[in-house]
Amino acid sequence: MVKRLLVVLLALVVTLAVASKLEVFSWWTAGGEAEGLQELFNIYSKLYPGVEIINATVAGGAGAQAKAVLKTRMLGGDPPDTFQVHAGRELIDTWVKTGFMEPLTELFISEGWTKVMPKGILDIISYNGEYWSVPVNIHRANVLWYNKTIFEKYGLKPPKTFDEFFDVAEKLKAKGIIPLAFGTKDGWEAAHVFETVLIGTLGAEGYRGLWTGKTKWSDPRVTQALEIFAKMLKYVNPDHAARTWDEACALIVEGKAAMNIMGDWAAGYFMAKGFEDFGWTLAPNNEGIFDALSDSFGLPKGAKNRENVIAFLKVLGSKEGQEAFNIKKGSIPARTDVNKDLFPAYQKSAMEDWLKHEIVPSVMHGAAAPESWVTEFKDVIALFVARPDVKTTQKALISIARLHGMPE
Ligand code: GAL
């Protein structure tokens, strides 16, 4: 009898243990990304040792492959328990308006997040008077990274303007160094760089207007951006089509390339590789502008392990979680009450800039425009890399904007 009871009890324990899972879906596999995610898992596992975390990653920067997999799963009624999604249009247009998510307003109030997260961030996760995802960071897209030793060796100053950029690039090229590391393997990286060039020619207000109809895509400053970008492409590594964003960063670590323009997940990558010789400045002509995006996680309807997700979201939004994650990730916390002293020099400078610079939403990383527009935009710019025809490309950009209801 006792034996039978024990067997039943054991079976129950095993069932409970097996049932207690948490599937976290993201595209964080590269250096810095994986380390940041692991920090969150470590905190969670300490609090909930009985829950098995399923780290469901689909490699490919900016969600190049993950987003398609996610769509198939969501539409097929098999949502992951929680998934990475950019705050802003990507979250709201793709998943909230379509009715796939549960609101998280109660959690925001009980955890006190409305008091410690900036209004700008709370606004872009809001819809219909509710909050819909938990932002874990703020990333900056418009950074120019450089190899300090190379710059020192040739007596170069990090460029601040387009003219300075081309001047430095020409000098580096003459020395046999790749001026601008570039990787276009996943199809989004060129659009990422081009976004910063648009900011450079249009300024904060002009760039913002592209996504609201206030700036026309036929604007001569868009033409100028395409011309500048075409010129930049003359200074990149010829094997860019075979490299991902992190493999492009590797050229800087190896001292083969001097600069690249990438989001500050590149800082996470450099740190994960133990590379301390990187410097940073803003992308050319981006002075005083913070091109921002935020990674967040939500609760899809039908999540199999709802309670575990809520517990995970609490970790994501906690001070401890945001500190541990962002130190490794290269981003800054979405919470403003963190201990700044814990952070590396790059993030300290980004925290200061966040407060004093003008914020614009990143298009390539889901903040500025609906996902369908982003996809078309990135494809046109990827094509431009292969065939830098300014006129045809601007026409294509104009017609894409028209499709999304923008005036010509
Ligand atoms: C961005 C994402 C970042 C970083 C980057 C490269 O879209 O917001 O967290 O992972 O892609 O994968």
Side-chain angles (χ1 to χ4, degrees), residues 27-28 30 33 60-63 67 84 86 137 139 188 245 262 265 293-295 325 329 364-365:
W27 60 84
W28 286 334
E33 297 182 331
K67 286 182 189 172
Q84 177 188 357
H86 289 122
N137 65 0
H139 262 308
W188 60 276
W245 73 266
M262 191 36 67
W265 42 92
L293 60 123
S294 168
D295 293 303
F325 172 79
K329 186 68 168 69
M364 194 46 246
H365 305 280

Side-chain angles (χ1 to χ4, degrees), residues 119-187:
K119 187 177 176 297
I121 295 293
L122 291 171
D123 281 350
I124 60 170
I125 51 158
S126 298
Y127 178 70
N128 256 351
E130 305 262 20
Y131 298 117
W132 296 91
S133 70
V134 181
V136 67
N137 65 0
I138 297 164
H139 262 308
R140 182 176 210 165
N142 58 340
V143 190
L144 183 145
W145 308 94
Y146 61 95
N147 179 309
K148 285 210 262 183
T149 301
I150 297 179
F151 268 67
E152 268 157 37
K153 185 169 172 197
Y154 298 114
L156 300 171
K157 271 209 255 145
K160 298 234 175 280
T161 62
F162 290 123
D163 286 345
E164 286 175 16
F165 173 84
F166 289 119
D167 186 45
V168 164
E170 204 42 55
K171 288 186 176 135
L172 287 162
K173 199 173 180 178
K175 302 286 179 200
I177 292 179
I178 301 160
L180 188 67
F182 201 38
T184 53
K185 193 175 178 184
D186 281 327

Side-chain angles (χ1 to χ4, degrees), residues 19-25 44 54 70 73-83 99-104 132 297-313:
S20 214
K21 288 187 179 177
L22 171 71
E23 189 192 16
V24 180
F25 184 95
Y44 183 87
I54 302 163
L70 178 67
R73 289 192 55 178
M74 294 287 279
L75 298 177
D78 175 32
D81 289 325
T82 184
F83 62 88
F100 282 94
M101 307 302 285
E102 282 196 38
L104 298 167
W132 296 91
F297 286 78
L299 174 61
K301 283 180 187 162
K304 289 174 206 79
N305 301 290
R306 194 175 179 281
E307 289 315 305
N308 292 347
V309 178
I310 291 176
F312 182 65
L313 294 179

Side-chain angles (χ1 to χ4, degrees), residues 266-279:
Y269 173 85
F270 293 140
M271 292 186 286
K273 297 292 159 196
F275 177 68
E276 289 171 10
D277 197 27
F278 68 94

